[in-house]
Amino acid sequence: MPPGGAWKPKAGMSREARAAEQDRAAGGRLTRAVDLGEGRYARASIALRLYRSTRRIRAYLRWSQEGETQERYVGEVDAATRAANLAQAWEMAHAAGYVTTETVPPDSWASSPASRAVMSANKGRDTKPERLLRSALHRHGLRYRVGVRPLPDLRRTADVVFTRARVAVFVDGCYWHGCPEHHRPAKKGAAFWHDKIAGNQARDAETNEALRDAGWLVIRVWEHEDPEQAAQAVLEAVKSRQDTSA
């Protein structure tokens, strides 16, 4: 019987860790693409299953299409470790033509498949930096509201809001908000993306001014910042505002 380490994932692996495992085995995130036609791709993964009756490990390709999980048998793998079996299965999937390497559609503003993947994966809320900051704040005993408008009449949503202390925290993505340390201008459609980022920055400045005029303290955290250090700064600001109010 093959050992558990040849097919079982490690206990307690996060979603991000599982995705990274698949990326390593496939040789990159963009090589995990199932072509859906018309320039659309689905990100696939390999599932390993042990069939005890045959004592063999089978690999299956899995992806989501139109909201439903699709699955395709790839073949049997026989390496001693899970990592090697995943890599073997990805090679078989590519050789059979089940998966391909994602390319950029002709009408895309992205300069490369990698930049397109980053843009497509951008989320409006509950991003990893936001979750890490919220977890750190919670460890410090702070309670807050998530994804609400500090001012009901102003269409601006803060990522973390302390209503009583009137502190609004925004976690800004380095690319979309023009981080001075990490923002790299797009090569394709440079004028379009320059205007897009400039518009975001102008909106940020307008939001800051409106909230400050209404008596709020605005804290902006870059996604690259250490969440614990950012949480400490927020904690000090909230306590200071609460003490002043009292």
Side-chain angles (χ1 to χ4, degrees):
M1 189 72 68
W7 60 280
K8 285 184 179 180
K10 293 182 180 178
M13 286 185 70
S14 66
R15 184 176 181 180
E16 291 80 6
R18 287 176 180 268
E21 178 188 49
Q22 295 285 340
D23 290 344
R24 289 192 297 271
R29 186 168 185 263
L30 299 174
T31 62
R32 294 168 48 199
V34 173
D35 192 346
L36 303 180
E38 299 180 352
R40 298 181 303 123
Y41 296 92
R43 195 77 58 209
S45 61
I46 291 290
L48 300 178
R49 296 175 187 156
L50 173 65
Y51 284 78
R52 297 185 180 279
S53 59
T54 61
R55 299 186 178 184
R56 294 181 182 277
I57 301 172
R58 293 181 179 180
Y60 294 83
L61 188 72
R62 292 169 58 88
W63 71 95
S64 178
Q65 186 171 351
E66 306 299 335
E68 296 185 0
T69 300
Q70 308 294 322
E71 187 172 278
R72 189 166 194 170
Y73 175 63
V74 175
E76 293 184 350
V77 291
D78 55 7
T81 66
R82 174 177 167 83
N85 279 327
L86 287 175
Q88 185 178 332
W90 277 112
E91 289 181 6
M92 295 164 63
H94 274 280
Y98 298 158
V99 289
T100 185
T101 299
E102 185 175 344
T103 59
V104 178
D107 57 348
S108 174
W109 284 105
S111 58
S112 68
S115 62
R116 181 171 182 264
V118 170
M119 295 173 189
S120 299
N122 181 62
K123 299 169 61 178
R125 61 174 293 179
D126 287 334
T127 62
K128 183 177 180 180
E130 289 177 31
R131 298 197 307 271
L132 290 174
L133 176 62
R134 296 202 305 255
S135 296
L137 292 172
H138 196 274
R139 287 195 300 272
H140 284 289
L142 293 178
R143 300 299 178 261
Y144 44 79
R145 300 184 66 189
V146 176
V148 298
R149 296 180 185 179
L151 301 177
D153 296 332
L154 180 66
R155 297 188 61 182
R156 297 292 192 278
T157 300
D159 298 310
V160 179
V161 176
F162 298 89
T163 307
R164 291 186 179 180
R166 298 169 73 83
V167 175
V169 183
F170 297 82
V171 182
D172 294 335
C174 290
Y175 180 82
W176 298 102
H177 295 263
C179 169
E181 293 184 40
H182 302 103
H183 176 74
R184 298 293 182 269
K187 296 180 180 180
K188 187 176 181 181
F192 172 86
W193 288 111
H194 176 272
D195 292 344
K196 175 68 175 177
I197 303 305
N200 289 343
Q201 292 175 324
R203 182 183 174 88
D204 292 343
E206 180 184 307
T207 300
N208 295 348
E209 183 177 2
L211 290 177
R212 287 166 182 162
D213 288 346
W216 284 74
L217 173 65
V218 178
I219 298 178
R220 289 193 174 271
V221 178
W222 289 111
E223 67 172 323
H224 69 262
E225 292 186 52
D226 179 80
E228 183 58 39
Q229 292 182 3
Q232 191 64 44
V234 173
L235 173 63
E236 293 174 1
V238 170
K239 285 188 173 181
S240 176
R241 301 272 291 188
Q242 289 174 338
D243 293 341
T244 300
S245 177

